[in-house]
């Protein structure tokens, strides 16, 4: 039986006048790998940030294993959700092993600062944690590089190290934000195998990715965000076959497009403006072209000065232009 690990209900995130995520309901069940896709700017990372407490949603709730999460990243990690970032965030001057040990701080008595400062309490906790960290490094294939500085690892291995560090907090759900960005096809294939292996450990996975082949091979279920709204959700086959998804990626309008109403308004306004222009031309034909040209010149002068008034720089340049 599938049980929900993560349940987001009616999540909306606004930044001033911009609604980046709009009324999204979303569930990840135990044992699932779920993909979140969508064109650039669709709201995927914003939604991730709402799930992990980095943003407090303007509306809606996020629950993990039936309990509503507090909107604080460290409490979300403590509850059992770990994540990686679109832009890798490692401790560049710490070793590979130390990076994973830091990731264990929510599961040890020692706090993050103790881990960073390597105090005496941390040394004992480190001994207890080291075997676990080495296990994780072996799992992602980096055990031989335990003493390398993180910044010296090739890009693909840095991404794996970030995953190992996330796993160190012993999550029940792992969120991966573009885990294959910048990887070559071979590295992407290894990451795919790694994600399957993570799921086999009993950890549910939610992944954002632009590489469609990766997503459709990997995921049990895929949700598509477009302009902040969930457009389609289903198996890889269902999503791939949905013409609205193709249209959204190609930037073509489609029935039910979240931007459809706005596009219709713009079209109507343009049509109205064209009609008004046509009427003006007809009037000019009727009642003396010379007068109307003079009128329209004076109107455009007034318009220009209006724009210039509202922006100091343009006002200056207009003034200079006139002086010359
Ligand atoms: N902190 C913020 N303040 C204001 N606007 C933001 C903020 N974060 C994101 N946005 C806006 O919200 C919208 C969604 O952005 P988001 O980064 O979530 O999209 P995305 O689907 O993750 O895009 P990409 O695939 O390019 O990473 C964009 O219009 C973006 O400019």
């Amino acid at each position: 039986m599938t049980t929900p690990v993560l349940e987001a209900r009616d999540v909306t995130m606004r930044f001033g006048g911009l609604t980046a995520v709009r009324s999204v309901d979303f569930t990840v069940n135990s044992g699932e790998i779920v993909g979140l896709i969508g064109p650039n700017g669709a709201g995927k990372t914003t939604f991730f940030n709402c799930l992990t407490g980095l943003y407090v949603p303007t509306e809606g709730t996020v629950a993990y294993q039936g309990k509503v999460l507090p909107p604080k990243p460290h409490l979300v990690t403590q509850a059992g959700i770990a994540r990686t970032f679109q832009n890798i965030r490692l401790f560049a001057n710490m070793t590979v092993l130390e990076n994973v040990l830091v990731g264990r701080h929510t599961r040890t008595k020692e706090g993050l600062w103790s881990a960073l400062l390597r105090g005496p309490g941390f040394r004992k906790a480190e001994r207890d944690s080291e075997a676990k960290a080495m296990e994780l490094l072996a799992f992602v294939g980096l055990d031989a590089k335990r003493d390398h500085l993180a910044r010296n690892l090739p890009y693909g291995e840095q991404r794996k190290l970030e995953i190992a560090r996330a796993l160190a907090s012993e999550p029940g759900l792992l969120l991966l934000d573009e885990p294959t960005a910048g990887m070559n096809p071979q590295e992407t294939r290894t990451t795919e195998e790694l994600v399957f292996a993570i799921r086999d450990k009993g950890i549910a996975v939610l992944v954002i990715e632009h590489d469609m082949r990766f997503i459709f091979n990997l995921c049990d279920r895929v949700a598509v965000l477009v302009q902040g709204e969930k457009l389609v959700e289903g198996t890889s086959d269902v999503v791939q076959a949905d013409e609205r998804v193709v249209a959204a990626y190609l930037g073509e309008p489609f029935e039910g497009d979240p931007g459809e109403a706005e596009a219709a308004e713009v079209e109507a306004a343009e049509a109205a403006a064209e009609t008004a222009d046509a009427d003006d031309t007809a009037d000019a034909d009727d009642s003396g072209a010379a007068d109307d040209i003079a009128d329209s010149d004076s109107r455009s002068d007034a318009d220009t000065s209006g724009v210039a008034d509202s922006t100091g720089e343009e006002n200056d340049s207009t003034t200079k232009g006139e002086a010359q």
Side-chain angles (χ1 to χ4, degrees):
M1 200 187 87
T2 53
T3 48
V5 177
L6 177 90
E7 281 180 296
R9 289 284 160 258
D10 208 19
V11 169
T12 292
M13 184 74 211
R14 292 193 196 93
F15 299 109
L18 174 87
T19 305
V21 174
R22 192 189 298 266
S23 301
V24 172
D25 288 331
F26 192 80
T27 304
V28 180
N29 294 310
S30 60
E32 264 191 325
I33 302 175
V34 181
L36 186 61
I37 63 172
N40 289 115
K44 305 179 294 293
T45 298
T46 302
F47 184 62
F48 250 41
N49 289 342
C50 291
L51 300 181
T52 56
L54 220 53
Y55 293 158
V56 181
T58 317
E59 285 161 32
T61 55
V62 180
Y64 176 73
Q65 292 183 336
K67 286 193 187 139
V68 172
L69 286 167
K72 292 263 186 274
H74 70 283
L75 296 178
V76 169
T77 311
Q78 223 163 49
I81 299 180
R83 74 172 290 178
T84 63
F85 290 86
Q86 200 171 332
N87 304 313
I88 298 173
R89 297 188 186 179
L90 291 169
F91 294 97
N93 289 320
M94 289 172 74
T95 67
V96 165
L97 177 62
E98 285 165 348
N99 266 279
V100 182
L101 288 169
V102 169
R104 282 197 58 73
H105 79 271
T106 51
R107 296 289 171 245
T108 60
K109 284 207 309 261
E110 305 308 311
L112 173 65
W113 289 109
S114 171
L116 288 172
L117 299 170
R118 302 180 60 81
F122 174 70
R123 286 176 191 281
K124 186 186 174 310
E126 189 182 43
R127 278 196 297 278
D128 298 340
S129 284
E130 192 167 317
K132 176 77 186 165
M134 283 308 296
E135 231 176 74
L136 287 172
L137 286 177
F139 179 68
V140 301
L142 287 175
D143 47 334
K145 298 201 170 178
R146 56 171 277 165
D147 296 322
H148 290 221
L149 290 182
R151 70 179 148 87
N152 292 338
L153 292 184
Y155 189 75
E157 291 187 350
Q158 290 193 10
R159 285 220 171 268
K160 282 186 186 166
L161 178 55
E162 232 202 348
I163 292 176
R165 189 180 59 186
L167 293 175
S169 67
E170 299 176 17
L173 172 68
L174 177 64
L175 309 187
L176 301 172
D177 195 348
E178 299 197 25
T180 71
M183 284 188 175
N184 63 36
Q186 175 57 38
E187 288 172 328
T188 300
R189 220 169 9 257
T190 344
T191 304
E192 193 178 299
E193 282 160 16
L194 181 59
V195 177
F196 280 129
I198 290 168
R199 192 261 300 273
D200 292 346
K201 277 175 172 283
I203 300 167
V205 180
L206 172 58
V207 55
I208 293 178
E209 187 50 77
H210 283 289
D211 181 337
M212 292 300 137
R213 186 180 298 183
F214 175 81
I215 281 286
F216 291 134
N217 275 343
L218 188 73
C219 296
D220 303 304
R221 201 151 50 81
V222 177
V224 187
L225 273 193
V226 177
Q227 294 173 23
E229 288 185 46
K230 192 168 72 177
L231 177 70
V232 182
E233 186 173 8
T235 61
S236 293
D237 288 346
V238 166
V239 170
Q240 281 178 87
D242 195 310
E243 59 189 27
R244 289 172 301 169
V245 177
V246 180
Y249 271 90
L250 295 177
E252 289 171 0
F254 50 88
E255 202 181 330
D257 185 337
E260 198 179 33
E262 287 86 342
E265 267 175 37
V266 172
E267 260 175 42
E270 282 172 356
E274 268 172 32
T275 312
D277 280 354
D279 287 351
D280 280 354
T281 311
D283 286 351
D285 288 347
D286 290 347
S287 61
D291 288 351
D292 280 327
I293 288 168
D295 279 356
S296 80
D297 276 355
S298 65
R299 258 201 309 274
S300 70
D301 280 353
D303 288 351
T304 309
S305 61
V307 170
D309 282 351
S310 67
T311 60
E313 276 180 32
E314 284 186 50
N315 200 4
D316 284 353
S317 66
T318 308
T319 313
K320 275 180 214 138
E322 282 170 1
Q324 284 159 8

